[in-house]
């Protein structure tokens, strides 16, 4: 089989998988702009009726504000903790590095049901469940691994001779880390921040174990689905999809601009 045919086959498979993954989200996004009282595709009448509803309804306002507040508070903490952990793993003893990395990123691969139950069992005796601080700590467990992975990848690609040159010219280790290492791994830090924000804002399972009176947007979506399937759910889902796509788009655009600058 020629290289052209192999390339065409791989491209076809990639496009097919992409359509399979994206098409349901696009259908949901189109449905969110319906002006009717029920979901249909394609909608007979389009409008922003349900977007106005979720921003005017007190229950949805409270849920969206809680999710946004938790994500905004968790993201910088996850960036600080994850970046420090990634640097520590990069400079730590070789024998312990692999085991510690596996332990730190394990929340990414463990089922969230298991994590949610474990965190709930720890928080319940401490009366830490259903509190803003409890949600933040639980979300940090989920968000920090993403920062560790992205910053760790940037550290692996970094030219270590630049840090060594700075230290040979008299810079102390903290100064070299702040003035040389952090600017070089900034793409990984930004990527980790974006992933941490998206993960925190969209988290449902672990939050559901801890919540009883407080409500986040994913929990409110689940509660609404328990009673009826109305277009307000599609509007919230569409809003989340647009925000997530915008953040990922900005991340890709920044990476492309950085690559163009390096080539220039």
């Amino acid at each position: 089989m020629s290289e052209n045919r192999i390339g065409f086959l791989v491209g076809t498979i990639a496009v097919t998988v992409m359509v399979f993954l994206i098409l349901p989200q696009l259908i949901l996004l189109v449905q969110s702009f319906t002006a009717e009282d029920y979901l249909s595709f394609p909608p007979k009448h389009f409008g922003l009726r349900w977007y106005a509803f979720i921003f005017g309804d007190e229950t949805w306002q409270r849920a969206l504000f809680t999710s946004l507040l938790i994500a905004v508070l968790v993201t910088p903490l996850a960036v600080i903790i994850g970046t420090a952990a990634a640097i520590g793993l990069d400079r730590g003893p070789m024998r312990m590095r692999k085991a510690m990395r596996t332990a730190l990123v394990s929340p990414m691969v463990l089922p969230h049901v298991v994590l949610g139950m474990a965190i709930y069992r720890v928080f319940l005796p401490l009366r830490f469940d259903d509190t803003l601080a409890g949600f933040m700590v639980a979300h940090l467990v989920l968000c920090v691994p993403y920062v560790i992975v992205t910053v760790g990848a940037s550290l692996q690609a970094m030219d270590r001779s630049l840090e060594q040159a700075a230290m040979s010219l008299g810079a102390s280790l903290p100064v070299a880390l702040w003035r040389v290492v952090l600017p070089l791994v900034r793409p990984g830090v930004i990527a980790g921040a974006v992933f941490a924000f998206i993960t925190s804002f969209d988290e449902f399972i672990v939050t559901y174990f801890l919540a009883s009176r407080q409500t986040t947007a994913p929990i409110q979506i689940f509660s609404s689905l328990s009673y009826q399937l109305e277009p307000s759910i599609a509007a919230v889902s569409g809003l989340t999809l647009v925000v997530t796509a915008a953040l990922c788009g900005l991340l890709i655009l920044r990476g492309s601009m950085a690559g163009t600058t390096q080539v220039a």
Side-chain angles (χ1 to χ4, degrees), residues 210-222:
L210 301 178
S212 57
R213 296 182 302 274
Q214 299 197 51
T215 304
T216 61
I219 292 178
Q220 183 60 34
I221 291 175
F222 179 77

Side-chain angles (χ1 to χ4, degrees), residues 20-33:
F20 177 77
L21 294 175
I22 295 178
L23 188 60
Q25 303 176 48
L26 293 179
I27 293 175
L28 179 64
L29 184 61
V30 173
Q31 287 181 320
S32 69
F33 290 100

Side-chain angles (χ1 to χ4, degrees), residues 156-188:
Q156 292 295 321
M158 186 189 75
D159 186 358
R160 298 292 293 270
S161 63
L162 297 175
E163 179 187 358
Q164 295 171 359
M167 296 183 66
S168 67
L169 293 173
S172 61
L173 180 58
V175 172
L177 289 175
W178 180 258
R179 300 293 297 272
V180 178
V181 176
L182 287 180
L184 291 174
V185 300
R186 185 180 303 162

Side-chain angles (χ1 to χ4, degrees), residues 66-142:
T66 302
S67 290
L68 184 61
L69 178 62
I70 295 172
V72 168
L73 293 176
V74 164
T75 299
L77 293 175
V79 168
I80 294 172
I81 298 172
T83 302
I87 294 175
L89 288 173
D90 186 67
R91 312 298 171 86
M94 289 294 297
R95 294 181 179 179
M96 300 178 58
R97 188 179 301 176
K98 187 174 182 179
M100 292 181 65
R101 186 185 299 275
T102 302
L104 288 173
V105 302
S106 60
M108 294 179 62
V109 296
L110 287 176
H112 284 197
V113 173
V114 176
L115 283 173
M117 177 62 71
I119 293 173
Y120 175 72
R121 292 296 299 171
V122 172
F123 283 5
L124 185 60
L126 303 175
R127 299 184 181 274
F128 211 43
D129 59 308
D130 200 37
T131 63
L132 181 62
F135 291 150
M136 290 176 57
V137 173
H139 285 205
L140 278 173
V141 173
L142 302 173

